Amino acid sequence: IQLIILPVYILAYMGLWDSFYKKVFPHIMAKLAPIYNHKVYKQKQELFSNLRKFAGPSGQLRLLEIGTGTGTNFQFYPPGCRLTCTDPNPNFRQFLLKNLSENPHLQLEHSVVASGENLHQIPDGTMDVVVCTLVLCSVTNVNKVLKEVLRVLRLGGAFYFVEHVAADRSSWTYFWQKVCDPVWKCLGDGCSLSRETQKDLEKTNFSELNLRRIRVSPHWNPTSPHIIGYAVK
């Protein structure tokens, strides 16, 4: 498999791959994200159904989404939501704006080009909810992202997540995850198939963690094992 994408490795070694792929990747995700959203629509709808209970005293919900990408989660957010979007790739912006125009019930307050590990533009304790879906698989440091999540959340605020994770280590799925991982990282903008993100969440200083495992079809896909839920600061 690695021999097949040898040209990609050569371009990466020469420092040419990242700049090229950062421009192409948003166009790929604009096609794939709606397909994925259709598969997990019911799960996401159920997950985000209680967002309002974390609204602040004013009744408005201040929501930060890390790695917003094309904005495929917008349809699940409640009306009047005060939204802050972050993504390290500025080339997603045209797709984000398109999705915003299709979801006029939302109010975009800020759109920040930033990685999840460094959200210094967001003040401490200013968010009621932080959302992160299919992002922790590709960040450089999961623990740093979760520390930033705790920092920007107010006390009693919640972190919502949907992430594909490593399969059981004794399974064939895990075997294929490890085989495909190097190629997947190149073609998935750093995405890793075999992260045990649930362990990072369990070690983070949340007061409450609600997590369950699901599998997304097709089950032979190495990204099929998922965790979904929310954690309270």
Side-chain angles (χ1 to χ4, degrees):
I1 294 174
Q2 293 188 48
L3 284 174
I4 293 172
I5 66 160
L6 183 61
V8 173
Y9 285 125
I10 294 172
L11 288 171
Y13 179 78
M14 295 171 65
L16 302 174
W17 177 252
D18 280 353
S19 58
F20 164 75
Y21 202 63
K22 291 290 184 189
K23 294 177 181 178
V24 173
F25 190 61
H27 293 271
I28 295 173
M29 290 308 298
K31 299 292 185 184
L32 296 181
I35 298 172
Y36 173 80
N37 239 19
H38 178 72
K39 292 180 180 180
V40 296
Y41 182 85
K42 289 183 179 179
Q43 290 91 335
K44 279 191 175 184
Q45 192 176 44
E46 180 185 355
L47 173 67
F48 293 126
S49 64
N50 69 342
L51 279 172
R52 279 192 175 280
K53 84 172 189 178
F54 293 103
S58 67
Q60 284 193 312
L61 184 72
R62 298 165 300 172
L63 188 152
L64 166 68
E65 182 167 357
I66 298 174
T68 310
T70 61
T72 54
N73 288 326
F74 291 167
Q75 61 183 300
F76 301 103
Y77 298 157
C81 180
R82 294 168 56 188
L83 184 63
T84 298
C85 297
T86 72
D87 201 285
N89 188 343
N91 298 301
F92 273 111
R93 184 169 177 79
Q94 59 174 306
F95 302 105
L96 181 145
L97 293 176
K98 179 178 181 294
N99 255 323
L100 274 173
S101 69
E102 296 170 357
N103 291 276
H105 65 288
L106 298 179
Q107 175 186 343
L108 179 65
E109 290 204 327
H110 303 288
S111 180
V112 181
V113 177
S115 69
E117 293 91 340
N118 185 7
L119 301 172
H120 67 271
Q121 300 97 324
I122 315 297
D124 295 4
T126 54
M127 294 295 157
D128 300 307
V129 166
V130 176
V131 174
C132 192
T133 64
L134 300 187
V135 173
L136 296 179
C137 57
S138 57
V139 298
T140 304
N141 189 310
V142 176
N143 290 320
K144 281 187 177 181
V145 175
L146 294 176
K147 285 181 181 178
E148 282 289 80
V149 168
L150 282 175
R151 181 184 66 79
V152 302
L153 275 176
R154 64 166 176 81
L155 188 63
F159 172 57
Y160 284 72
F161 54 89
V162 181
E163 298 288 339
H164 68 79
V165 293
D168 185 279
R169 292 196 175 198
S170 63
S171 67
W172 277 107
T173 302
Y174 184 75
F175 170 81
W176 286 112
Q177 284 177 333
K178 298 303 287 185
V179 169
C180 297
D181 225 3
V183 175
W184 201 274
K185 285 177 181 177
C186 286
L187 301 181
D189 200 21
C191 174
S192 173
L193 291 167
S194 56
R195 284 192 178 170
E196 297 177 317
T197 308
Q198 67 279 4
K199 292 184 178 180
D200 296 300
L201 286 164
E202 289 165 358
K203 289 186 292 185
T204 305
N205 193 27
F206 289 111
S207 65
E208 177 185 339
L209 177 60
N210 301 279
L211 178 152
R212 64 188 178 97
R213 293 175 177 271
I214 61 171
R215 290 185 70 88
V216 176
S217 63
H219 289 182
W220 52 261
N221 191 308
T223 62
S224 177
H226 274 56
I227 56 170
I228 183 171
Y230 68 95
V232 181
K233 178 176 176 178

